[in-house]
Amino acid sequence: MSKRFKKVYCEISGACNLTCNFCPLTDQPRGMMSRELFCKIAAEAAPLAERFYLHLMGEPLLHPDFDFIIDECARHGLPVHLVTNGTLIGPALEPVLLNSTIREINFSLQSFAACYGEEADDTEYLETIFGFIDRALEKRADLQLNLRLWNLDDFASVVDHNRVLLNRIYAHFGEEIPAFSSVGRSHHSCSVPIKGRLFMNYSSRFVWPDMELKECRTHGFCMGAMGQVGIHCDGTVVPCCLDNNATMALGNMNTATLREIFNQPRAQKMMDGFNRAMIVEPLCRRCEFAKRFRKKVKQGSWPDPD
C-alpha cells in the first residue's frame, strides 16, 4: 500500500540568512516552528510520508533545535530530505547531518551568487561544502548528495558563472561534468553523476505562482494535495510547496490532524478537480510549474485509523 504523500514539506524555519533574488517575499510568519508543534507533525507524518522535507521557505539549518528535530525524525523513522544554501555547514552541525535518518542533502549552489552577486568571492563557501561532501562520501556511502544549479534560464552572465563553477567542481572531485546544454534540454531538469552518490542537479528557474499573475491554464494535473502537502512554521497546511503565502490554507496542525484537514470541503474540491483534470483553485491556475506534470498523479492511501 502506497503512503498517502510522496512528499511532506515541513517548514521548520520560516527565516533565511540569505536574501536571494529567486525567492519571493512572503506575508507568512518568518519565525521558527516550536518543538511541540514539530513533535506533533512528526508523529503524524511518519505513517503518511515517503519523503519528509524540512523546508518550504526558509533555511532549515537556522533552527536552534535542529539536532532535536533530527533526533525526533529518527525516533519516528522519518526519511529526511534537506535543501540548504550550504552557508551554515560547519563542525557543530556535521555529526547531525551525517545522522542515518537523513537520506538526501541538496545544496542550492545558485544561492550565493543570487544573494551576493556573481562577482562575490565564494571560495570559502564552496570549499566548506566540498569538504563536507568529501567526509560524507567516506562516512555515509548511502547518503545522496546533490549540487543544485536551478538557474538555467537566467542571463548569459549566470551561464558564464555556472561554467566557472563546474570547472571548480571538476578541479576538486576530479570528475568532468557536462554542462546542461550538453545533456540536452528535452526536460526541465536532470541529474548527472559525479562520484559515488554525489550528483550535479540541473533545473530551469521557475516562476512562483502569484495571484497577481494571469491565469495560464484551467485543466491539468498536479502533485498538490494529491501527492504532496506543505506545512508552514506556524502549522498552516497548504496543498503545495510553492504556496509560500498560504493562499490556499486548508487548516492548521495546531488544531486538527491532516486527515481531518483533508476531509474538509476545500481540500476535497481541489482533489476532485485534479481527478477530473480540472483546476479549481485560482492560485493553481496561475502556476507555470505544474505544466511539468504530464501524467495524472494518483492519490496515495490513508493508513487505517487507530
Side-chain angles (χ1 to χ4, degrees):
M1 180 181 294
S2 62
K3 292 194 174 183
R4 174 60 181 84
F5 300 107
K6 292 186 180 298
K7 300 178 181 180
V8 171
Y9 291 87
C10 181
E11 182 188 73
I12 60 173
S13 168
C16 188
N17 60 319
L18 298 185
T19 307
C20 300
N21 58 23
F22 55 78
C23 273
L25 296 175
T26 176
D27 297 328
Q28 283 296 101
R30 304 292 288 182
M32 305 291 171
M33 181 175 285
S34 69
R35 282 193 177 201
E36 294 74 19
L37 178 56
F38 182 80
C39 288
K40 178 179 187 293
I41 292 170
E44 189 171 340
L48 301 177
E50 290 184 17
R51 296 184 174 194
F52 192 63
Y53 288 81
L54 296 181
H55 84 288
L56 195 152
M57 298 293 290
E59 167 55 53
L61 300 189
L62 268 180
H63 201 292
D65 296 324
F66 185 76
D67 54 346
F68 170 85
I69 285 169
I70 295 302
D71 286 343
E72 190 70 8
C73 290
R75 188 168 75 86
H76 289 287
L78 273 167
V80 172
H81 295 251
L82 279 177
V83 179
T84 174
N85 58 45
T87 58
L88 300 177
I89 298 291
L93 277 177
E94 187 164 311
V96 185
L97 293 172
L98 293 178
N99 187 305
S100 61
T101 200
I102 298 180
R103 307 295 176 81
E104 178 184 54
I105 303 178
N106 299 277
F107 296 97
S108 297
L109 293 188
Q110 74 274 9
S111 299
F112 192 90
C115 180
Y116 297 113
E118 294 152 25
E119 302 302 320
D121 184 2
D122 58 3
T123 302
E124 183 179 357
Y125 167 70
L126 292 175
E127 287 181 352
T128 300
I129 292 175
F130 293 167
F132 169 81
I133 289 173
D134 287 337
R135 294 183 290 277
L137 289 171
E138 179 182 353
K139 297 177 181 179
R140 283 282 316 275
D142 61 319
L143 176 63
Q144 180 156 333
L145 300 156
N146 299 315
L147 299 174
R148 282 186 176 183
L149 281 178
W150 283 22
N151 59 2
L152 298 181
D153 295 333
D154 281 346
F155 300 108
S157 61
V158 174
V159 175
D160 292 338
H161 183 268
N162 286 354
R163 188 177 295 110
V164 172
L165 185 56
L166 290 177
N167 288 336
R168 294 172 72 177
I169 295 170
Y170 167 67
H172 183 89
F173 294 105
E175 298 290 337
E176 190 168 1
I177 308 163
F180 184 70
S181 58
S182 301
V183 177
R185 287 181 174 270
S186 58
H187 299 87
H188 291 279
S189 62
C190 71
S191 287
V192 179
I194 300 176
K195 62 183 297 185
R197 289 184 60 79
L198 173 63
F199 294 83
M200 189 75 235
N201 184 238
Y202 295 108
S203 189
S204 55
R205 181 168 174 172
F206 60 86
V207 177
W208 289 79
D210 191 287
M211 290 300 293
E212 298 298 319
L213 299 175
K214 292 183 179 180
E215 289 190 3
C216 60
R217 63 185 199 135
T218 57
H219 295 74
F221 310 106
C222 187
M223 287 283 289
M226 303 295 285
Q228 70 168 249
V229 63
I231 307 168
H232 282 275
C233 61
D234 66 347
T236 302
V237 174
V238 292
C240 156
C241 63
L242 297 184
D243 189 2
N244 63 296
N245 272 323
T247 303
M248 298 180 288
L250 302 176
N252 194 289
M253 290 290 291
N254 283 295
T255 56
T257 67
L258 282 174
R259 185 189 289 268
E260 290 168 343
I261 290 169
F262 274 77
N263 278 331
Q264 295 299 312
R266 186 173 192 178
Q268 289 291 313
K269 184 177 180 181
M270 180 183 224
M271 292 185 290
D272 179 64
F274 284 137
N275 280 324
R276 295 181 291 110
M278 298 287 293
I279 303 173
V280 300
E281 284 284 343
L283 185 66
C284 294
R285 294 185 173 195
R286 292 162 171 82
C287 179
E288 294 278 350
F289 189 89
K291 290 181 179 180
R292 303 182 184 193
F293 298 108
R294 300 299 183 187
K295 296 181 180 179
K296 185 175 180 180
V297 179
K298 293 183 179 180
Q299 179 182 329
S301 303
W302 290 98
D304 294 331
D306 295 332

